[in-house]
Amino acid sequence: MQAWRVHRNGEPREVMRLDEVERPVPGEGQILLRVLAANINFPDALLCRGHYQVRPPLPFTPGVEICGETPDGRRVIATPSPGLPDGGFAEYAAVDAGSVLSAPEALDDAETAALHIGYQTGWFALHRRARLQPGETLLVHAAAGGVGSAAVQLGKAAGATVIGVVGGPDKARVARELGCDVVIDRRTEDIVAAVKEATGGRGADVVFDPVGGDAYAKSTKCVAFEGRIVVVGFAGGEVPAPALNHALVKNYAILGLHWGLYTTKDPAAVQRCHEELTALAARGAIKPLVSERVPMKDAADAVQRVADGVTTGRIVVIPEGGPR
């Protein structure tokens, strides 16, 4: 079968190589899936660079989120172990049977592949950690990105007013199409001033931050009294050092969200979340923004573009090259 493999750490376009390899052999408690679609996540780029929390032995196949077909023909969602070495950018992948979830009928293969990690992250951040309430204001950084676009849709589904922060007019257009009530272009507008203007000076009740760095710093200046900042990741490359005295003076909470921990600490919560997401998809309240469906041969270039932060929504790899 064909599989993309990383033979040394570095930039995805330079270190990913399309190889002909044997199909993976499922171990105890695993199942072999035919990959129908594999969603590209920012952690795939970090795995290539050797910057992820887990560093699998070389060579390995990236791809941490897939829609696959079981041997008996069922369409499912699965997340190959971040320890890999057999990820989803391949024609077949062996996954833990316990990680397999049913694919929502309302979504096609590519949309299904893009549902799990981003939307679970958004749902746990907004509902489990921040306790977002109807009528509150939600500020989403990188609102046109993969995780940000999920948070926008989930915020609207929860009855919040959503302010999206983006970089550039093309991403601003996407954020409006996603349903943002207010869109701020960080390249041309003052985020803090724009948020305060949109909220009558009160600030955002909940901030969803997958960027870190300057985005986090600006969030602390426009978060509301008793607001909650949920730190989801550091796509901007800079890990901020919170000024806890500032959090004390302004009465806001800083919350961390590492979704992967729930898969081991509370797997039942992951299943309940999936059921909620499936219901939201069925009624059209959420629909993954798949901006591109690329053939297997273009996967390395697509991972590089995700790494460079120049994409909107999700890019999904289709092993057989045809749209699904």
Side-chain angles (χ1 to χ4, degrees), residues 103-125:
E105 294 182 3
L107 304 178
D108 65 21
D109 293 347
E111 292 163 345
T112 296
L115 175 73
H116 191 52
I117 295 175
Y119 282 84
Q120 288 257 345
T121 297
W123 193 94
F124 274 91

Side-chain angles (χ1 to χ4, degrees), residues 112-297:
T112 296
L115 175 73
H116 191 52
I117 295 175
Y119 282 84
Q120 288 257 345
T121 297
W123 193 94
F124 274 91
L126 300 183
H127 294 290
R128 183 79 173 239
R129 303 296 284 139
R131 308 293 181 182
L132 179 68
Q133 300 299 308
E136 289 192 314
T137 297
L138 167 66
L139 175 64
V140 178
H141 289 283
V147 177
S149 61
V152 169
Q153 293 181 358
L154 289 166
K156 292 299 296 181
T161 297
V162 179
I163 301 174
V165 178
V166 299
D170 290 341
K171 292 186 177 183
R173 175 184 52 78
V174 170
R176 292 188 188 94
E177 292 173 353
L178 284 165
C180 286
D181 299 282
V182 177
V183 176
I184 301 169
D185 186 343
R186 59 178 172 79
R187 296 179 182 175
T188 59
E189 299 178 77
D190 182 323
I191 293 174
V192 176
V195 171
K196 288 186 176 180
E197 180 181 357
T199 59
R202 185 173 184 278
D205 298 292
V206 175
V207 178
F208 181 88
D209 180 15
V211 178
D214 188 59
Y216 174 84
K218 286 183 167 57
S219 297
T220 65
K221 296 177 181 178
C222 60
V223 64
F225 170 74
E226 292 195 329
R228 293 85 76 198
I229 301 174
V230 189
V231 178
V232 179
F234 312 105
E238 181 184 344
V239 179
L244 297 184
N245 60 324
H246 191 259
L248 181 152
V249 170
K250 286 192 67 176
N251 273 41
Y252 63 85
I254 305 164
L255 305 168
L257 187 280
H258 177 195
W259 170 76
L261 280 180
Y262 287 95
T263 62
T264 55
K265 300 288 188 181
D266 193 355
V270 174
Q271 176 62 47
R272 290 193 299 270
C273 177
H274 180 65
E275 292 168 0
E276 175 67 18
L277 295 176
T278 299
L280 288 170
R283 71 171 194 252
I286 61 172
K287 186 180 181 68
L289 174 62
V290 178
S291 58
E292 297 180 60
R293 293 165 165 82
V294 302
M296 178 76 98
K297 66 181 180 64

Side-chain angles (χ1 to χ4, degrees), residues 63-88:
V64 297
E65 183 175 29
I66 64 175
C67 172
E69 184 180 69
T70 65
D72 60 2
R74 291 181 297 117
R75 207 169 60 102
V76 299
I77 292 171
T79 52
S81 167
L84 303 171
D86 300 314

